[in-house]
Amino acid sequence: MAIHIKSAEEIDKMRVASRLASEVLQMIEPHVQAGITTQALNDICHEYIVNTQGAIPAPLNYRGFPRSICTTLNHQVCHGIPGERVLKANDILNIDITVIKDGFHGDTSKMFHIGKPTIKAVRLVDLTYQAMKIGIEAVRPGITLGDIGHQIQSFVEQNHCSVVREYCGHGIGKAFHEEPQVLHYGQPNSGETLVPGMTFTIEPMVNAGKRHVRLLPDQWTVVTKDHSLSAQWEHTILVTDSGYEVLTRRPEETFSYDA
Ligand code: MF3
Ligand code: CO
Ligand code: CO
């Protein structure tokens, strides 16, 4: 199976699906407060995606996933299932949104602090954002996937945190997860070379402690083995002729487009 290079028409559809995913994160922000359950956040997002956006929440029934979004808290790493857990002060929460519009997927996630965050949590969340940003800003035709992974890993490890290895970014398009795998660690000058028209996610999971993870008995929720805090951010990226476009960029975000 080869990496699918998107046509101009497909890129336009990726732009739309990605913008919708980013708009769900903007819509949900004021609701992310102490006292609300993750199930309620799921229900608000589901309703908005289906009825306002006329789109499909990709996680729902994906390989049996039972909800429309992922909500991942504190020492959880990814794929948290919304439920009756009530958000409280000092929690950190990742909300991961993937929508399907006109047959194409847009996938993005961000971290939220509940109440007044601890210094440790702020440091981890900011470091993880920087790690994602370093990966994104490296993207241009001619570099390799290994170059991206290496830059992310070096930055994270210089800051005495660790990169989760079991989960990675991915090609995205008509399929939720397609080739290539985008590892957040690796060696420079290795792996696939980027070419214009590729679309993939960059979504590093960074642990404050050791990199090892464990799967909970619900068969979805991934947690850190050492119970240390974990954070993740995600964007869907297009490789352009001269650099990249962050298809899921929110208005408050800036990237040094080398374009
Ligand atoms: N959105 C996740 C990703 O970034 C995948 C979630 S799969 C689900 O790839 F089934 F848990 F939704
Ligand atoms: Co993804
Ligand atoms: Co995602």
Side-chain angles (χ1 to χ4, degrees), residues 66-78:
R67 298 289 186 274
S68 297
I69 67 173
C70 295
T71 53
T72 301
L73 277 160
N74 300 329
H75 76 290
Q76 298 176 351
V77 172
C78 62

Side-chain angles (χ1 to χ4, degrees), residues 96 98 107 168-170 176-177 201 203 234:
D96 193 338
T98 312
D107 189 7
C168 58
H170 49 91
F176 194 160
H177 298 107
T201 70
E203 50 179 303
E234 175 176 26

Side-chain angles (χ1 to χ4, degrees), residues 40-194:
L41 295 174
N42 175 83
D43 295 349
I44 296 165
C45 290
H46 179 94
E47 204 278 333
Y48 184 79
I49 292 166
V50 171
N51 296 320
T52 302
Q53 297 186 327
I56 299 166
L60 187 58
N61 301 321
Y62 176 79
R63 299 185 180 198
F65 191 78
R67 298 289 186 274
S68 297
I69 67 173
C70 295
T71 53
T72 301
L73 277 160
N74 300 329
H75 76 290
Q76 298 176 351
V77 172
C78 62
H79 304 163
I81 304 174
E84 293 317 310
R85 170 67 152 77
V86 176
L87 298 185
K88 59 176 173 28
N90 293 342
D91 281 339
I92 59 171
L93 175 69
N94 175 280
I95 300 184
D96 193 338
I97 303 291
T98 312
V99 305
I100 310 169
K101 182 73 173 184
D102 207 2
F104 284 80
H105 291 71
D107 189 7
T108 184
S109 80
K110 69 169 280 189
M111 296 298 300
F112 297 87
H113 292 283
I114 317 303
K116 185 176 162 357
T118 64
I119 290 166
K120 266 190 174 171
V122 171
R123 180 175 171 272
L124 176 68
V125 166
D126 291 357
L127 182 112
T128 306
Y129 187 84
Q130 276 309 314
M132 174 193 68
K133 187 167 177 161
I134 285 167
I136 290 171
E137 291 182 339
V139 171
R140 61 185 164 79
I143 72 151
T144 66
L145 288 171
D147 292 329
I148 296 174
H150 179 72
Q151 293 224 28
I152 292 171
Q153 180 183 14
S154 304
F155 174 75
V156 168
E157 293 179 356
Q158 274 160 27
N159 285 282
H160 311 290
C161 290
S162 63
V163 174
V164 172
R165 307 246 175 131
E166 288 81 354
Y167 302 88
C168 58
H170 49 91
I172 181 167
K174 281 186 186 154
F176 194 160
H177 298 107
E178 51 184 59
E179 285 196 48
Q181 293 198 65
V182 181
L183 304 182
H184 304 111
Y185 62 94
Q187 298 304 321
N189 244 309
S190 69
E192 296 281 347
T193 299
L194 306 192

